[in-house]
């Protein structure tokens, strides 16, 4: 039986999921970029580029990137669309790493980073031409509330783009799950020194709805049209939800 995603937490402590997720990302922030690229064999770069190609068709002028982390997607969006980008994240340590990257790229005039909660976005209704989230919605404490907030701040007839892990189906599924549940956490623990962070990753992916289930959740949240694109045999999926 699939676990309730809201019950899957990084540290299994008495603290709220939100608080545990913030602590986890604060803990792994210094090694996050290195691990991300090594564990995904840099395929995550292709995924972000695919999302931005889809977004570019909307010709956005201002984009909100939620759960921005160290800013990789925010940077890709700015380079691909030349939009002004606001990156928002719960973890101050992740944002600190992102700010340094953005300054090095001389993009600090185009990308701003701020601490904030995806489930209580500090922005007015109908503000953004596009909203994005890469590998963040799994970490929402209340998925429905978080998705409703993304919908609230995007303009009418504009879209929210969600890049999230899904599941490899077919004969490659068992091999991928072995890597995901055994090898990936071992490497993550070794490099990040956080015993739980990279065990939480496969746990949260296993519990997260994907494909048609996620599409239905987005429609139930009030989006009028939802389409999705599987990437790399289903390892990840991009959802485009239009308000």
């Amino acid at each position: 039986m699939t676990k309730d995603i809201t019950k899957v937490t990084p540290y299994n402590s008495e603290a709220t999921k939100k608080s545990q997720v913030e602590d986890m990302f604060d803990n792994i922030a210094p090694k996050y970029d290195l691990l991300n690229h090594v564990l995904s064999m840099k395929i995550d770069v292709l995924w972000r580029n695919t999302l931005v190609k889809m977004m570019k068709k909307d010709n956005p002028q201002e984009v909100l990137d939620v759960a921005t982390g160290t800013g990789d997607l925010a940077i890709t969006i700015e380079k691909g669309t030349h939009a002004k980008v606001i990156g928002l994240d719960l973890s101050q340590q992740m944002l600190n790493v992102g700010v340094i990257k953005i300054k090095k790229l001389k993009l600090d005039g185009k990308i701003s980073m701020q601490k904030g909660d995806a489930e209580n976005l500090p922005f007015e209704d109908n503000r953004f031409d596009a909203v994005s989230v890469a590998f963040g919605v799994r970490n929402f404490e209340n998925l429905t509330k978080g998705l409703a907030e993304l919908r609230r701040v995007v303009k009418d007839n504009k879209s929210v783009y969600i890049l999230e892990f899904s599941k490899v189906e077919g004969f490659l599924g068992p091999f991928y799950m072995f890597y995901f549940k055994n090898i990936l956490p071992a490497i993550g623990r070794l490099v990040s020194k956080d015993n739980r962070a990279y065990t939480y990753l496969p746990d949260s992916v296993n519990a997260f709805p994907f494909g048609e289930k996620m599409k239905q959740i987005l429609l139930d949240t009030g989006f009028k049209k939802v389409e999705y694109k599987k990437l790399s045999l289903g390892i990840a999926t991009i959802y485009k939800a239009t308000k």
Side-chain angles (χ1 to χ4, degrees), residues 25-86:
F25 282 112
D26 279 347
N27 290 340
I28 66 175
K31 302 288 186 182
Y32 180 80
D33 283 340
L34 170 67
L35 272 167
N36 216 19
H37 296 321
V38 168
L39 294 173
S40 71
M41 294 172 280
K42 285 208 168 182
I43 204 163
D44 59 311
V45 175
L46 295 175
W47 296 342
R48 280 191 289 274
N49 286 339
T50 301
L51 185 154
V52 172
K53 277 180 189 170
M54 291 169 68
M55 183 187 286
K56 192 175 181 180
K57 294 173 185 173
D58 295 349
N59 192 29
Q61 302 303 302
E62 187 177 35
V63 178
L64 173 65
D65 183 41
V66 174
T68 196
T70 62
D72 276 351
L73 182 55
I75 290 164
T76 308
I77 289 169
E78 195 287 324
K79 286 183 173 179
T81 68
H82 304 298
K84 179 184 174 186
V85 185
I86 298 174

Side-chain angles (χ1 to χ4, degrees), residues 129-146:
D129 301 305
V131 175
S132 60
V133 191
F135 310 114
V137 291
R138 276 179 302 108
N139 301 322
F140 288 179
E141 189 166 81
N142 183 322
L143 178 60
T144 306
K145 187 178 179 189

